[in-house]
Amino acid sequence: MRVFLLFMLAFTSIYAVQVKDLANTVGVRDNQLIGYGLVVGLNGSGDGTNSEFTIQSISNLLQGMNIKVNPDDIKSKNTAAVMVTANLPAFAKSGDKIDITVSSMGDAKSLQGGTLLLTALRGIDGEIYAIAQGVVSVGGITGGVGGRGGNHSTSANIIGGASVEREIPYNFADSGNLTLSLKEASFKTANDIQQALNFSFDNEVAQALDSRTIKLNKPDEFSAVEFMARVLEQEVDFTPESKVVIDERTGTIVAGVNIEVEPILITHKDITIKIEANSNAALAQNEVDMKDGGIIDPSSNTIRINSQKTTVANVARMLNRLGASPTDIIAIMQNLKRAGAISAELEVI
């Protein structure tokens, strides 16, 4: 497995983004729902006899239909016990359709071709907010045996598979407390949004309370909906913070192409990296000049990078060419950050 290197263009200049890309409206959010159900119609790929909760669930279901059956006589290979999850959007109304995700709880081999039976979806308060049922689809789902999708997926979804039964009351039109919450805390961004909104409306409509919270004061001539529409579409000058994102599961590194690495010497296992600023050292025996500031010695697993400006992209590219494993590359990036050679924020997911 080779590491995937994705390098984004790092903008050093200020550019304009809309407020809706930087902040959320407080109170306007999704709510998580969860339920327990059964998927039937599986072609022998359901839960085995060791999944006692599946057998008990089938027995309870049949008894609810006035069919008495001994749980010991039930064979569940065509049935799978599942957890059903969904997000209830803000302002969802009774009768609206929402998407659901179905995930196996037992030892089912696949949910391919199954049908989810009527399942109640509850909120954190225990109340039923939606009812789910329908034919499951494993298309686009990764999971199951060996992490593969398709016929081996133990996760599935149903587009529009649940119907909203209960609404979450929230009278936005009459709300007197309109507040923005920044997706990432920043005093500068909060101040910039405050200034941009006050200038646009020619009124003191915004007040930044802290690095994340901006209180809004709606002018009388606007409705709440019209006011928030204008607020969220307002453009603001914005400079993104430099960041390196590492996905340990997939071995993916995402970084701006201009994120610099300071001169440093680091050794990890049998790999040595020496970053120098404008070194004039001649090529040693077995070293190969990669023509982009990097020199590799495959015999000793050594990398020398001689450049006025060394970036995360350079280091990752050289390590990839040396044949370093994704695990080693990620570990080296983390240690470069710990040693202070990388000033940008490093996020591991």
Side-chain angles (χ1 to χ4, degrees):
M1 172 183 174
R2 295 180 65 84
V3 69
F4 295 96
L5 306 175
L6 304 178
F7 301 107
M8 305 178 297
L9 179 61
F11 294 92
T12 56
S13 59
I14 298 174
Y15 66 102
V17 298
Q18 294 181 325
V19 170
K20 65 182 179 182
D21 297 322
L22 301 174
N24 297 314
T25 304
V26 174
V28 179
R29 63 180 181 85
D30 292 350
N31 288 273
Q32 285 70 46
L33 304 179
I34 189 171
Y36 171 82
L38 293 173
V39 171
V40 300
L42 303 176
N43 187 18
S45 61
D47 294 337
T49 55
N50 292 330
S51 298
E52 296 183 3
F53 52 85
T54 304
I55 297 174
Q56 188 62 55
S57 298
I58 297 173
S59 177
N60 294 343
L61 175 66
L62 294 176
Q63 288 185 25
M65 298 179 177
N66 295 321
I67 302 174
K68 295 184 179 181
V69 60
N70 188 335
D72 295 335
D73 297 332
I74 297 175
K75 304 301 180 184
S76 62
K77 63 180 181 180
N78 290 340
T79 305
V82 295
M83 295 303 297
V84 183
T85 56
N87 286 330
L88 181 65
F91 311 120
K93 302 301 180 184
S94 179
D96 288 352
K97 301 293 184 180
I98 58 176
D99 301 339
I100 62 175
T101 299
V102 182
S103 304
S104 172
M105 291 182 62
D107 54 0
K109 297 180 177 64
S110 174
L111 299 180
Q112 175 75 25
T115 299
L116 175 69
L117 298 182
L118 196 66
T119 302
L121 301 182
R122 302 176 185 271
I124 191 65
D125 57 2
E127 298 291 340
I128 297 175
Y129 286 90
I131 299 296
Q133 183 168 273
V135 178
V136 303
S137 170
V138 298
I141 296 290
T142 302
V145 179
R148 300 189 299 271
N151 294 333
H152 296 278
S153 180
T154 53
S155 294
N157 53 33
I158 306 178
I159 305 301
S163 176
V164 177
E165 299 295 325
R166 180 193 296 264
E167 302 173 8
I168 297 178
Y170 182 56
N171 191 345
F172 181 79
D174 295 333
S175 176
N177 181 23
L178 300 176
T179 306
L180 296 176
S181 177
L182 297 186
K183 297 177 181 179
E184 295 186 8
S186 169
F187 284 108
K188 182 180 185 305
T189 302
N191 183 64
D192 289 345
I193 292 177
Q194 172 187 271
Q195 293 183 348
L197 290 176
N198 290 340
F199 178 81
S200 175
F201 284 91
D202 193 23
N203 197 352
E204 296 296 321
V205 299
Q207 179 185 6
L209 303 181
D210 52 44
S211 63
R212 188 180 290 272
T213 310
I214 302 172
K215 183 179 179 180
L216 302 176
N217 300 307
K218 179 182 71 66
D220 294 336
E221 62 268 26
F222 293 99
S223 69
V225 173
E226 181 184 6
F227 176 63
M228 286 306 301
R230 286 191 54 176
V231 166
L232 296 177
E233 294 295 323
Q234 175 66 44
E235 291 189 341
V236 180
D237 291 338
F238 177 69
T239 303
E241 296 183 359
S242 298
K243 180 181 291 189
V244 179
V245 180
I246 297 176
D247 188 334
E248 287 190 309
R249 184 178 62 85
T250 62
T252 301
I253 300 174
V254 183
V257 294
N258 291 324
I259 296 179
E260 296 188 28
V261 182
E262 298 298 326
I264 194 173
L265 173 64
I266 182 172
T267 299
H268 174 77
K269 296 182 179 179
D270 61 344
I271 299 174
T272 300
I273 301 175
K274 187 177 183 180
I275 299 175
E276 305 169 299
N278 289 336
S279 172
N280 295 319
L283 285 178
Q285 187 177 6
N286 298 323
E287 288 188 336
V288 179
D289 189 349
M290 304 309 296
K291 306 300 182 183
D292 56 359
I295 298 172
I296 293 178
D297 183 355
S299 63
S300 61
N301 280 346
T302 300
I303 296 174
R304 285 198 295 121
I305 301 179
N306 306 322
S307 175
Q308 180 67 32
K309 178 181 178 182
T310 301
T311 66
V312 170
N314 296 138
V315 176
R317 191 180 300 112
M318 291 297 102
L319 287 169
N320 209 34
R321 290 180 179 178
L322 189 63
S325 69
T327 302
D328 289 335
I329 295 178
I330 291 171
I332 289 171
M333 291 296 175
Q334 291 175 320
N335 288 325
L336 287 173
K337 173 62 179 178
R338 293 189 185 100
I342 298 177
S343 57
E345 179 184 354
L346 188 146
E347 179 178 349
V348 181
I349 59 176

